[in-house]
Amino acid sequence: MSMFDVFNIAGSALNAQSLRLNTTASNLANADSVVGEDGQPYRAKQVVFEAVPVGKSEGRGVRVTQVVESAAPMRLVYDPANPAANGEGYVEMPNVNVVEEMVNMISASRSYQNNVEVMNTAKTLLQRTLTIGQ
Amino acid sequence: MKARLEEALQFHQSALNLQARRQEMLASNIANADTPNYKARDIDFRSALAAQLGRPGEGMALAQTSAGHLPTGGAQGFEGYVGYRQELQSSADGNTVNMDVERAAFAENALHYEASLTFINGLLSGMRTAITGGQ
């Protein structure tokens, strides 16, 4: 029953988008984390989406294949008083671009909303289908 | 009489089947709006419906989850009518989903699906009236 696959497709998209939202939240929260768990400054993370077949049908869901670390250069801030400063007085700050992350967050939440809408429509159609002949 | 009822229902059944498939495809497009290199797809509805009507008796197939199940016939029969959407604005990541187009098509297809359901219901209630003589 193909209409049921709509739930799987939209559901996989909800999953993927919420993971993206999580990643963005992590990036924003750690925008100033000079020292991470490995002693290095936090690196911005990004999710990679991939289209995957759902069921036996033509539909394609979404899957997060991996979470990659941003290759952008670290932000250098001159702060000689900071204990993490290097010999020249510069502190390596995380390479999180807050503006980019905010845009990413809005995009992810809009995509999430879109897929919720898709699910609701599919639900309404299925409910109407169940009442055929009544 | 039975043949006529079946014939009348057959059209709407095929339409409903195709509309459900199209809905699924549009949902895929919306789900993959942020997937790099995803190409939006759609069904050539008119040709697919015409082709399905040209093969009477091939309605919606039931899924066979066990080897002991009897075949129900009915190929989906629209694979040849799936195409890629022409892109209106290109994006750097190779994704061709245009959310406005997809949302509009999704809403339109949902309405068509509901219309088909209404037609089927009307047909069935008409038949019921004929059977009971309007009592």
Side-chain angles (χ1 to χ4, degrees), chain A residues 2-3 6 9 13 17 20 49 51 57-62 111 114-115 117-118 121 125 128-129 132-133, chain B residues 20-21 23-25 27-28 30-32 34-36 38 41 79 99 103 106 110 113-114 117-118 121 124 128:
Chain A
S2 53
M3 199 58 101
V6 173
I9 291 166
Q17 296 294 350
R20 183 177 166 206
F49 284 173
S57 56
E58 294 265 315
R60 295 277 185 280
V62 199
S111 296
N114 259 331
N115 284 293
E117 197 82 4
V118 166
T121 308
L125 290 182
R128 292 272 330 256
T129 313
I132 280 185
Chain B
R21 284 317 187 106
Q23 196 77 348
E24 184 194 329
M25 203 155 281
S28 296
I30 293 176
N32 283 291
D34 299 317
T35 309
Y38 180 83
R41 295 173 309 162
E79 279 78 10
M99 196 48 97
R103 283 300 299 269
F106 190 81
Y113 188 90
E114 290 210 48
L117 288 178
T118 310
N121 278 331
L124 290 178
R128 197 174 296 127

Side-chain angles (χ1 to χ4, degrees), chain B residues 28-51:
Chain B
S28 296
N29 290 346
I30 293 176
N32 283 291
D34 299 317
T35 309
N37 290 318
Y38 180 83
K39 308 294 180 205
R41 295 173 309 162
D42 202 352
I43 296 177
D44 180 0
F45 192 84
R46 174 195 282 262
S47 316
L49 183 60

